[in-house]
Amino acid sequence: MAQVKEKKKTIFEQPWHELPRGGIMPDAGNAAEYNTGDWRTDRPIWDSEKCISCLICWMFCPDSSILVQDGKMVGIDYEHCKGCGICAAECPPKVRALEMKPEADFR
Amino acid sequence: MAKTLEETTKMAAKAGKNGNKKLSALTGNEAVAHAMRQINPDVVAAYPITPATEIVQIFSSFVANGQVHTEYVAVESEHSAMSATIGACAAGARAMTATSSQGLALMWEMLYIAAGLRLPIVMPVTNRALSAPINIHCDHSDTMGARDAGWIQLFSENSQEAYDNTIQAIRICEHPDILLPAMVTYDGFIISHAMEVVRIEEDAEVKEFVGEYKPDIYLLNTDKPVTMGGLDFTDFYFEHRRGLADPVSKVKDVVLQVGAEFKKQFGREYGLFETYKLDDAEYAIVVLGSTAGTAKVTIDDLRDRGVKAGMVKIRMFRPFPYDEVAKALEGKKAVAVLDRSDGLAGRGGPVFGEVRNALCDWPNKPVTVGYVYGLGGRDIGPEMIESVYTDLQEIAKTGKALNLVKYLGVRE
Ligand code: SF4
Ligand code: SF4
């Protein structure tokens, strides 16, 4: 008979009695597990054609949500981007590779 | 004052040396300071406030004399006192403080944090009225205001109970099922400054009874680092607050268990509340704190005159022993609840509300009335308590309360 393996609950599915007491966080570096992307009211849209990979947006993003590979801007981490708009404001005026659009347009 | 301090210090040192159990003449504050000396906490952070000042003043002399190993933090406010105590306890220390009235009020936001973080802090509180008007004398409005903060509250009738409760509270709070903070309260001036005969137990016995504090999770554990005091949103706060209600539901059992152990070790008995001549009583009152002593004298006197008077003295007000109190009062003809604070809720004081809540579902419930008395240290004598029993007899005749709530001893 095939065994049905129970899927491990994520912390977001755990009932109160399974959570650590007093809101104590028993491990470090778990902020990445928290989806702050759903707080967003505006979404930064990146135009890869225009982008010159100056990485100013990467330096300014307060949520480490600008994805960079081999020294090049490659996209935005929408799981964590809170939509503050700093990246779009800081992208050089002559480039304008980032534009803020209402989140509602994408939902 | 200085002489008393010197004498009590000497007395305690001698008691410790000889290993003699001694009856001593001590004020409530002195007795509690000695309890703290014997508990020997790792950290005490405190700010003086009348009438609790002496507790930490005397305790600081124990620190200066090297009688305890405590790190004493002289802070600039009660808010900081509670904050430093929380920090120390979170770091892994057995941490204590003491306060009263406005001092407790200034600790307010930190009280909720101590409970929410599940920190077993024990804090003696001498009950004193809250401003305005400014008043330094006894009533219970200070700790009653903090009754829903998640702290255990143990009320004491006299200095001996204040001493005994302080020692037991350490065990209750640090119990692995509980890990909640506790206030040990006793009446300002009436108990805090009145000299009574108190039995101070041997240092070694108290040390053994309270045991060593071994926290399982603490900030200074570098092998198992944790974060405390993080932010919760709508997706976690409710679960964590629900988690706080769980240890609260277990406090009752632990209080009884520690009380039984205390009796075995030191001979004095403690439950959730004390009853006095209640079994065959027709008329009962419910009181907290030092008024119970006056009530006992009044009850003896009434009994001599054939009035079947009895009493329930609440020891554990938080969490409230609803079922047990209801069971104790069930079948009485009439019950009066005496509140030494006004709930300003439109229906008397907080103890009245709790007792009515407890009795609500019981089929054989007595008529209950509430009295607000003794605000700002207004004295309550046997004649006043007798007048309550006279009212109860009247009420029992008709089965109806004339006034649901009365102010007792106020100029009308
Ligand atoms: S909108 Fe704000 S959070 Fe999102 S990528 Fe830009 S700078 Fe980062
Ligand atoms: S700031 Fe603009 S141009 Fe520079 S990397 Fe970011 S998106 Fe590209």
Side-chain angles (χ1 to χ4, degrees):
Chain A
M1 204 175 84
Q3 289 259 329
V4 183
K5 225 177 152 194
E6 211 182 294
K7 207 181 136 239
K8 204 177 167 277
K9 273 183 242 157
T10 71
I11 193 166
F12 297 95
E13 293 162 337
Q14 277 177 335
W16 65 266
H17 49 87
E18 285 177 16
L19 293 174
R21 70 163 191 259
I24 290 165
M25 284 174 245
D27 31 55
N30 54 16
E33 288 167 33
Y34 203 92
N35 181 359
T36 48
D38 63 4
W39 302 1
R40 206 166 46 231
T41 53
D42 288 314
R43 177 184 291 214
I45 301 297
W46 175 59
D47 186 339
S48 59
E49 304 277 298
K50 290 188 190 165
C51 176
I52 56 164
S53 277
C54 66
L55 300 191
I56 288 176
C57 58
W58 173 78
M59 278 187 275
F60 276 91
C61 173
D63 290 294
S64 308
S65 295
I66 301 294
L67 303 171
V68 173
Q69 243 171 38
D70 304 324
K72 294 228 176 323
M73 157 87 170
V74 293
I76 293 159
D77 168 9
Y78 288 122
E79 287 266 295
H80 297 99
C81 160
K82 292 195 294 235
C84 64
I86 292 173
C87 53
E90 295 298 334
C91 184
K94 284 185 185 161
V95 183
R96 292 202 178 278
L98 287 158
E99 197 187 340
M100 300 306 289
K101 291 252 172 81
E103 187 66 21
D105 293 357
F106 303 92
R107 302 235 168 173
Chain B
M1 172 56 228
K3 200 169 170 226
T4 313
L5 178 62
E6 207 173 277
E7 275 168 6
T8 53
T9 309
K10 262 195 210 144
M11 182 279 303
K14 217 169 126 203
K17 236 182 264 158
N18 301 341
N20 287 335
K21 280 182 191 173
K22 273 206 174 177
L23 291 181
S24 323
L26 295 174
T27 66
N29 283 344
E30 286 168 344
V32 167
H34 279 298
M36 287 174 68
R37 176 181 60 75
Q38 295 176 315
I39 291 163
N40 197 359
D42 302 307
V43 174
V44 167
Y47 189 81
I49 183 164
T50 302
T53 303
E54 271 184 329
I55 309 168
V56 287
Q57 182 195 338
I58 296 166
F59 184 79
S60 69
S61 73
F62 296 144
V63 177
N65 295 345
Q67 289 167 279
V68 287
H69 79 250
T70 309
E71 179 75 33
Y72 189 94
V73 190
V75 287
E76 82 289 357
S77 76
E78 285 85 356
H79 189 280
S80 302
M82 185 44 65
S83 301
T85 309
I86 287 170
C89 193
R94 180 180 272 164
M96 297 180 78
T97 182
T99 194
S100 180
S101 184
Q102 304 302 121
L104 183 65
L106 190 51
M107 287 179 178
W108 224 260
E109 64 165 339
M110 303 315 293
L111 293 178
Y112 283 75
I113 292 169
L117 294 179
R118 303 284 305 277
L119 300 174
I121 293 165
V122 173
M123 172 166 69
V125 181
T126 57
N127 281 120
R128 168 187 146 182
L130 284 174
S131 302
I134 298 173
N135 176 290
I136 57 165
H137 291 281
C138 172
D139 73 34
H140 297 161
S141 52
D142 51 0
T143 52
M144 282 301 162
R147 68 188 182 277
D148 297 336
W151 284 61
I152 298 162
Q153 292 188 332
L154 299 176
F155 279 75
S156 323
E157 179 186 330
N158 50 41
S159 302
Q160 186 70 60
E161 288 191 6
Y163 170 82
D164 293 349
N165 279 337
T166 305
I167 292 166
Q168 288 177 68
I170 297 282
R171 286 283 305 280
I172 297 163
C173 293
E174 291 175 5
H175 191 287
D177 289 350
I178 307 302
L179 296 170
L180 288 172
M183 297 176 197
V184 172
T185 84
Y186 52 108
D187 288 351
F189 288 109
I190 302 166
I191 300 304
S192 70
H193 284 62
M195 198 160 281
E196 284 185 89
V197 177
V198 182
R199 180 178 284 273
I200 298 292
E201 302 295 345
E202 279 178 43
D203 289 0
E205 276 186 63
V206 176
K207 191 178 167 188
E208 205 195 310
F209 185 83
V210 296
E212 212 181 301
Y213 177 47
K214 293 194 192 106
D216 58 340
I217 301 172
Y218 56 100
L219 290 177
L220 288 185
N221 184 356
T222 48
D223 294 333
K224 235 169 81 186
V226 295
T227 302
M228 287 189 192
L231 170 73
D232 269 7
F233 287 113
T234 49
D235 45 7
F236 281 101
Y237 184 85
F238 199 172
E239 278 70 23
H240 282 135
R241 295 305 288 191
R242 173 63 187 88
L244 195 53
D246 191 51
V248 169
S249 71
K250 294 172 181 155
V251 170
K252 192 169 71 181
D253 290 342
V254 173
V255 166
L256 291 173
Q257 180 197 318
V258 171
E261 273 183 60
F262 189 87
K263 192 194 171 192
K264 209 169 140 213
Q265 180 78 26
F266 302 114
R268 291 180 295 282
E269 197 165 349
Y270 287 89
L272 307 176
F273 52 86
E274 181 192 327
T275 58
Y276 190 73
K277 303 199 174 171
L278 190 72
D279 286 351
D280 68 336
E282 292 175 339
Y283 315 103
I285 63 169
V286 180
V287 300
L288 272 67
S290 65
T291 306
T294 318
K296 284 171 185 169
V297 176
T298 316
I299 291 166
D300 289 348
D301 193 33
L302 285 166
R303 287 266 170 178
D304 286 345
R305 288 183 271 146
V307 180
K308 289 197 166 170
M311 175 181 70
V312 170
K313 177 187 87 185
I314 306 287
R315 176 192 182 216
M316 184 179 86
F317 183 73
R318 275 294 180 265
F320 193 81
Y322 292 98
D323 293 340
E324 293 79 358
V325 166
K327 220 169 169 180
L329 294 174
E330 200 208 3
K332 305 297 167 206
K333 284 186 176 164
V335 170
V337 182
L338 273 61
D339 267 285
R340 200 161 197 155
S341 67
D342 193 350
L344 299 178
R347 187 164 280 187
V351 192
F352 184 49
E354 298 300 13
V355 172
R356 303 262 294 180
N357 180 346
L359 286 166
C360 175
D361 293 329
W362 287 66
N364 203 7
K365 57 176 174 268
V367 188
T368 40
V369 286
Y371 291 82
V372 173
Y373 78 98
L375 301 191
R378 175 65 51 86
D379 202 15
I380 179 159
E383 68 293 338
M384 255 188 225
I385 295 173
E386 192 178 326
S387 79
V388 172
Y389 283 106
T390 308
D391 287 357
L392 288 182
Q393 292 170 72
E394 267 316 300
I395 289 164
K397 270 186 215 154
T398 60
K400 265 205 150 58
L402 301 173
N403 294 75
L404 196 55
V405 179
K406 261 192 180 179
Y407 288 85
L408 187 65
V410 74
R411 287 190 296 275
E412 299 278 6

